[in-house]
Amino acid sequence: MFDFLQQYYPVFIQGAAQTVVISLIGICIGILLGLVVVAMNLSKFKPFAWLAKTYIAIVRGTPAMIQVMLIYYVLSKALPIPDIRFLGSSLDRVIPGSIALGVNSGAYTAEIFRSGIMSIAVGQTEAGISLGLSENTTLFSIIMPQAVRNILPAMGNEFISLIKESSVLFYIGVQEVTAQALGVGGTLYNFIPPLLVAAAIYFVLTFVLSQLLKLAENRMGRKYVALN
Amino acid sequence: MLTDTENIIEVRGLKKAFDQNMVLKDINFAVKKEEKVVIIGPSGGGKSTLLRCLNHLDGNYTGDVLFKGQNLGQLSKKELQLCRRKMGMVFQQFNLFPHKSVLENITFAPIKLKLLSEAEAIDNAHDLLKQVGLDEKANAYPQSLSGGQQQRVAIVRSLAMQPEVMLFDEPTSALDPEMVGEVLGVMTRLAKTGMTMVIVTHEMDFAQQIADKILFMDNGHVADIGTPDYLFNHSKNFRTRTFLAKVM
Ligand SMILES: Nc1ncnc2c1ncn2[C@@H]1O[C@H](COP(=O)(O)OP(=O)(O)O)[C@@H](O)[C@H]1O
Ligand SMILES: [Mg+2]
């Protein structure tokens, strides 16, 4: 049933590599955007907070596929990205696609950050401030380390769903692993075996990631248990 | 600017509201050097709010709060931070940093603010921990300590900044009864060293012993003020007497 792999395995490896690359870029953009958006959302300057809330609401309330297509079509008009091949796809698809994944993920990450910061008791901030520490020192040395630990499980879930959701880039022609599986299926006139292979690849990727995150959680959790 | 250097803290016409809810209604009092001022009164009377105005943790008030003659409301952020270093604050919920060891909790601010070198800060922390009988817990994390131990560490953390006044907001209210004594003991010894202290507490015996002056706060007012002897034995104030009858 899986004989085709002897011939097509390079295609799957390329697709898997493409999936990893777009997911990594998406995660990085998502984290950076999430940080900016959470700062805006919690800011006392109302227009910033309003902008952040609007962005989050729109991303959460519309299908990822439409977001990806919109961003792709807008960016390909606005940005002259050279048509360079990279892991079986053109960069003028990979780059807008990864940005779209990041824009989508940023909204969820921002909300995770917000709940992480809110979950640190007000008392921790007051303790820092009353020792004469600056607001920045209190935020970065007292609140953030605890927030990071609190949000790690939720961030892990977000990374995992981003890897799976990255298959939407198939719609704009990025040859990630789903697209490659469909291509192979078309050649074989049988979609089931290649799709099973693609599913297995996603499973391995998310499984490895979740194990790594568990390791990180344990390392951080060894020293203390949250007091809230 | 030092109008009255004897007063470490001076509060003049302090008013504060949360939205429509007037919580502090024209508070006036002063705390002299080495004085122990105890604040008592029913829950919701504004005691915590008042204490949080004293070090400008909440700066959203009208009226004046002066620390050693400096009007906190008129200071820059930097100057305010310098004042806060000199005002230790101990909370009902301890608020130790759970991601730092006992030693790190105590040394973090003095090192970060460059008051002491790392070695000095550590030496100083061990000295202070010995004084409260907790030196063997220096490397423990807060969650492994009892409430009484955590509160003693919290007091030490404030003392490590070498404050000129210590503010306590119900330091024993979150403790199991058997641990109240160890914390009050530390505070009593601290009082004997000449530390200036402002203490919100429901421990009436302790208040009577330690206080030079007691404020009875009710419904946003300083409803009664005087020596422990006056307040507990001679006050004719109806609300003071009703409150004391209930808690004693
Ligand atoms: N952050 C806050 N927001 C709104 N109302 C508050 C806040 N903190 C305290 N209050 C109100 O202020 C009043 C006084 O509270 P507090 O100072 O905590 O009293 P006490 O410490 O004497 O029990 C209460 O009515 C309380 O509900
Ligand atoms: Mg209170």
Side-chain angles (χ1 to χ4, degrees):
Chain A
M1 185 177 168
F2 294 106
D3 295 343
F4 66 95
L5 278 181
Q6 284 181 359
Q7 186 187 346
Y8 288 105
Y9 77 93
V11 176
F12 283 96
I13 289 176
Q14 196 181 52
Q18 186 69 269
T19 291
V20 169
V21 168
I22 57 182
S23 300
L24 273 179
I25 301 176
I27 287 169
C28 291
I29 296 177
I31 291 175
L32 292 178
L33 200 58
L35 283 173
V36 173
V37 171
V38 76
M40 285 170 67
N41 200 351
L42 299 178
S43 129
K44 290 189 187 96
F45 185 57
K46 284 275 149 47
F48 277 176
W50 182 85
L51 213 64
K53 288 188 170 74
T54 308
Y55 158 69
I56 291 168
I58 290 176
V59 169
R60 296 218 288 195
T62 56
M65 187 180 98
I66 293 184
Q67 295 164 16
V68 167
M69 295 219 190
L70 278 175
I71 289 174
Y72 168 64
Y73 286 119
V74 169
L75 281 189
S76 54
K77 287 222 169 66
L79 280 183
I81 303 166
D83 177 12
I84 297 169
R85 307 297 295 171
F86 173 74
L87 294 174
S89 320
S90 165
L91 275 188
D92 64 8
R93 291 167 192 275
V94 174
I95 290 173
S98 314
I99 292 176
L101 287 180
V103 168
N104 176 275
S105 179
Y108 296 93
T109 335
E111 285 298 88
I112 294 171
F113 288 155
R114 194 171 63 93
S115 76
I117 290 172
M118 302 299 235
S119 72
I120 308 301
V122 189
Q124 290 289 306
T125 311
E126 295 194 335
I129 298 288
S130 72
L131 283 169
L133 299 170
S134 68
E135 280 163 30
N136 275 340
T137 304
T138 305
L139 181 63
F140 288 108
S141 302
I142 308 296
I143 305 301
M144 282 301 202
Q146 298 180 57
V148 166
R149 185 181 174 280
N150 284 2
I151 66 176
L152 214 58
M155 285 301 280
N157 290 339
E158 170 56 23
F159 296 162
I160 284 168
S161 70
L162 187 142
I163 291 178
K164 294 185 293 180
E165 300 291 314
S166 70
S167 62
V168 297
L169 296 202
F170 153 74
Y171 291 108
I172 59 167
V174 174
Q175 295 296 311
E176 43 68 63
V177 74
T178 308
Q180 299 285 26
L182 291 171
V184 173
T187 331
L188 298 175
Y189 297 107
N190 184 2
F191 286 94
I192 295 173
L195 282 175
L196 284 175
V197 172
I201 289 173
Y202 281 113
F203 181 77
V204 169
L205 289 178
T206 55
F207 184 78
V208 168
L209 179 63
S210 70
Q211 293 306 308
L212 286 176
L213 286 162
K214 267 208 194 98
L215 216 72
E217 261 173 62
N218 286 341
R219 281 186 67 103
M220 290 182 134
R222 246 201 331 249
K223 286 196 288 191
Y224 74 97
V225 185
L227 285 176
N228 357 301
Chain B
M1 266 296 286
L2 296 183
T3 45
D4 188 354
T5 42
E6 247 204 312
N7 286 340
I8 300 253
I9 292 176
E10 198 176 336
V11 177
R12 296 190 202 135
L14 176 61
K15 292 181 187 156
K16 169 156 184 76
F18 289 106
D19 296 321
Q20 304 299 326
N21 180 16
M22 281 296 284
V23 174
L24 299 178
K25 307 165 185 169
D26 195 18
I27 308 280
N28 296 278
F29 73 99
V31 183
K32 291 194 166 58
K33 195 163 162 38
E34 303 208 359
E35 203 173 24
K36 324 306 172 211
V37 174
V38 171
I39 304 174
I40 61 172
S43 287
K47 304 182 297 297
S48 298
T49 307
L50 171 60
L51 220 55
R52 294 152 47 82
C53 290
L54 294 188
N55 69 350
H56 223 72
L57 259 188
D58 191 331
N60 213 344
Y61 55 76
T62 61
D64 299 311
V65 176
L66 284 77
F67 173 68
K68 295 175 75 182
Q70 294 167 279
N71 192 330
L72 295 185
Q74 293 167 2
L75 299 183
S76 69
K77 266 190 183 175
K78 275 264 144 54
E79 292 167 321
L80 199 54
Q81 282 162 22
L82 289 173
C83 284
R84 288 208 188 96
R85 292 182 196 178
K86 295 289 157 202
M87 297 195 241
M89 184 143 186
V90 174
F91 303 87
Q92 188 173 343
Q93 300 296 339
F94 332 133
N95 294 343
L96 291 178
F97 306 135
H99 59 306
K100 295 187 183 297
S101 70
V102 165
L103 195 71
E104 291 163 346
N105 261 277
I106 300 166
T107 57
F108 179 74
I111 294 173
K112 188 84 191 173
L113 298 171
K114 301 198 166 67
L115 303 184
L116 297 174
S117 73
E118 194 173 332
E120 288 167 336
I122 291 172
D123 278 351
N124 184 39
H126 282 300
D127 278 349
L128 290 167
L129 280 171
K130 276 181 201 135
Q131 289 171 31
V132 301
L134 286 175
D135 199 30
E136 81 278 15
K137 299 287 185 189
N139 294 315
Y141 279 80
Q143 93 281 351
S144 70
L145 305 184
S146 73
Q149 292 171 330
Q150 289 191 46
Q151 193 61 297
R152 283 185 277 160
V153 172
I155 293 172
V156 164
R157 177 175 68 179
S158 288
L159 290 177
M161 297 297 294
Q162 302 180 326
E164 294 182 35
V165 54
M166 287 281 287
L167 313 174
F168 294 85
D169 190 2
E170 299 197 31
T172 59
S173 292
L175 298 178
D176 293 336
E178 70 270 20
M179 294 171 186
V180 169
E182 64 195 56
V183 171
L184 295 183
V186 166
M187 290 169 68
T188 304
R189 268 179 281 144
L190 182 61
K192 293 207 174 102
T193 67
M195 178 63 75
T196 312
M197 296 161 84
V198 181
I199 305 165
V200 175
T201 186
H202 290 299
E203 299 290 332
M204 292 303 149
D205 291 337
F206 171 71
Q208 210 160 353
Q209 283 162 23
I210 202 168
D212 296 309
K213 180 158 85 191
I214 300 186
L215 271 64
F216 171 61
M217 268 196 83
D218 188 23
N219 194 23
H221 293 283
V222 176
D224 207 356
I225 184 167
T227 62
D229 181 48
Y230 158 77
L231 214 92
F232 282 93
N233 304 320
H234 304 293
S235 173
K236 301 268 188 302
N237 186 304
F238 174 71
R239 282 185 293 173
T240 309
R241 300 187 58 149
T242 330
F243 174 74
L244 289 177
K246 241 187 289 177
V247 296
M248 300 279 286

